[in-house]
């Protein structure tokens, strides 16, 4: 077997994008979601894709949360979920996500949310049963896994295979 220098070896690997997000709930444990104005997955968590200037998925999650909602998260990174989505017709490469615990938002903090209208047009906190009824299957799978991870005190993993 021939060993390749790292810069050559990396070119042989599959491409993937990476995102970071924050999971918030209200004081009753109801998850917060943002309704996208431009994504096929209408409901999202505050966060976004890691870009070249970002140092990590956590830095991305905090930056995007501030830009999308006005919430300035100052907590430490506490991983709740790793999410892997295989490439498909809707997205041409694998996607890996890291969702961190944003904590519990008070009614005052929720009332202070200011959305970026170019990205989201509404926010909502809802029970898991309500999320199951209004979010797509893939989004709800992640929301449920996040709620379970927080209650267990251990990070979860969601795999979305091809097809």
């Amino acid at each position: 077997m021939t060993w390749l220098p790292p810069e050559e070896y990396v070119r042989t690997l599959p491409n993937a994008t990476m995102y970071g997000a924050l999971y918030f709930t209200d004081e009753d444990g109801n998850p917060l979601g943002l309704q996208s104005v431009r994504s096929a997955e209408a409901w999202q968590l505050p966060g976004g894709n890691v870009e070249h200037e970002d140092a990590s998925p956590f830095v991305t999650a905090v930056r995007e949360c501030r830009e999308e909602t006005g919430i300035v998260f100052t907590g430490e990174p506490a991983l709740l979920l790793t999410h892997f989505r295989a490439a498909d017709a809707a997205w041409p490469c694998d996607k890996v996500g890291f969702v961190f615990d944003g904590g519990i938002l008070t009614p005052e903090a929720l009332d202070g949310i200011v959305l970026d209208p170019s990205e989201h047009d509404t926010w909502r906190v809802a029970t898991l049963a309500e999320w199951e009824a209004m979010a797509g299957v893939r989004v709800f799978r992640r929301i449920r896994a996040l709620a379970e991870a927080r209650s267990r005190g251990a990070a979860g993993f969601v795999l979305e295979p091809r097809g």
Side-chain angles (χ1 to χ4, degrees):
M1 175 151 69
T2 303
W3 290 94
L4 295 174
E7 60 278 358
E8 288 181 41
Y9 174 66
V10 167
R11 286 193 294 269
T12 71
L13 300 174
N15 290 320
T17 58
M18 185 171 38
Y19 74 89
L22 290 170
Y23 174 75
F24 294 101
T25 61
D26 68 6
E27 293 174 336
D28 295 322
N30 299 314
L32 168 71
L34 309 178
Q35 188 170 34
S36 175
V37 297
R38 59 182 177 195
S39 173
E41 289 187 343
W43 291 100
Q44 303 174 336
L45 300 171
N49 287 322
V50 174
E51 298 171 358
H52 295 292
E53 71 270 6
D54 290 328
S56 71
F58 180 69
V59 169
T60 297
V62 171
R63 175 184 54 78
E64 288 282 338
C65 178
R66 184 184 70 254
E67 292 173 3
E68 294 173 352
T69 67
I71 296 170
V72 178
F73 182 75
T74 59
E76 295 294 317
L79 183 67
L80 280 180
L81 186 73
T82 302
H83 168 231
F84 178 84
R85 178 179 172 185
D88 58 20
W91 192 256
C93 63
D94 295 339
K95 189 167 197 168
V96 181
F98 301 90
V99 184
F100 302 92
D101 196 340
I104 298 168
L105 297 174
T106 64
E108 295 79 23
L110 289 166
D111 287 343
I113 291 174
V114 177
L115 297 177
D116 175 350
S118 69
E119 293 197 49
H120 302 97
D121 58 8
T122 192
W123 62 267
R124 174 179 270 176
V125 289
T127 66
L128 289 178
E130 291 168 327
W131 280 118
E132 184 173 24
M134 74 181 159
V137 172
R138 290 173 13 173
V139 172
F140 178 68
R141 186 181 304 129
R142 291 192 300 270
I143 291 172
R144 183 182 60 223
L146 284 158
E148 290 169 0
R150 186 189 271 174
S151 71
R152 277 193 327 265
F157 178 72
V158 170
L159 170 65
E160 293 182 35
R162 282 178 181 74

